[in-house]
Amino acid sequence: MSGAGAPRLTLDGTGLRVTVVAASWHTEVMDGLVAGAQRALAAANVTDVRLLRVPGSFELPVAAGRVARTGVDAVVALGVVIRGGTPHFDYVCSAATQGLTDVAVRTGVPVGFGLLTCDDEAQALDRAGLPGSSEDKGAEAAEAAVATVLALRGL
Ligand code: DLZ
């Protein structure tokens, strides 16, 4: 899946409460994703932003689920899983993806999906919103979460 075709979103999230839930593996990539999400939220006028760190991407769904039930408007979930030599990669990726989908559907709280699933660290760095990266997936996840809140508002 390439980043080509991503929408350009102009968002006004004034007054929204958003929590960023971020895994901790692969520090440099995670620092880029978290900073990108925070930048995008600030650009969308979201000032009530909290950050919750969890150990790994496998822990994202349980944390996102708890956060979603605290009255926030949206959750942004960030993590990076890098393929190793065993099937562990597939289990962590699918558990995190399915778990985050369940949280959004069951709670009705939009969850921005910022989970990078990469073959190697270079691929992850290229998507981390760092100087020299070609994509900024933390920002994209934050923008998607805010845009979904705004789209669903008033229904
Ligand atoms: C165990 C593990 C491995 C091997 N790799 C990653 C990774 O690349 N990215 C990530 O976010 N987490 C990884 N983890 C940790 C698991 O997500 C989880 O934290 C542990 O299995 C403990 O539940």
Side-chain angles (χ1 to χ4, degrees), residues 23-26 55-59 79-82 88 92:
S24 303
W25 279 62
H26 311 293
S57 296
F58 186 79
E59 283 72 42
V80 53
V81 192
I82 296 186
H88 195 258
V92 172

Side-chain angles (χ1 to χ4, degrees), residues 35-115:
Q38 290 171 328
R39 257 194 322 268
L41 292 168
N45 306 319
V46 182
T47 54
D48 189 344
V49 178
R50 289 165 203 220
L51 174 64
L52 178 70
R53 298 308 294 245
V54 293
S57 296
F58 186 79
E59 283 72 42
L60 289 172
V62 68
R66 282 287 293 274
V67 167
R69 292 176 173 85
T70 63
V72 297
D73 296 289
V75 177
V76 181
L78 303 176
V80 53
V81 192
I82 296 186
R83 190 183 292 279
T86 72
H88 195 258
F89 173 85
D90 302 294
Y91 289 108
V92 172
C93 292
S94 60
T97 303
Q98 190 59 55
L100 291 169
T101 306
D102 285 349
V103 167
V105 172
R106 287 178 198 277
T107 64
V109 174
V111 177
F113 182 68
L115 179 69

Side-chain angles (χ1 to χ4, degrees), residues 13 15-19 67-68 71-75 108-111 145 148-149 153:
L16 297 186
R17 290 175 58 196
V18 176
T19 295
V67 167
V72 297
D73 296 289
V75 177
V109 174
V111 177
T148 306
V149 174
R153 198 176 244 177

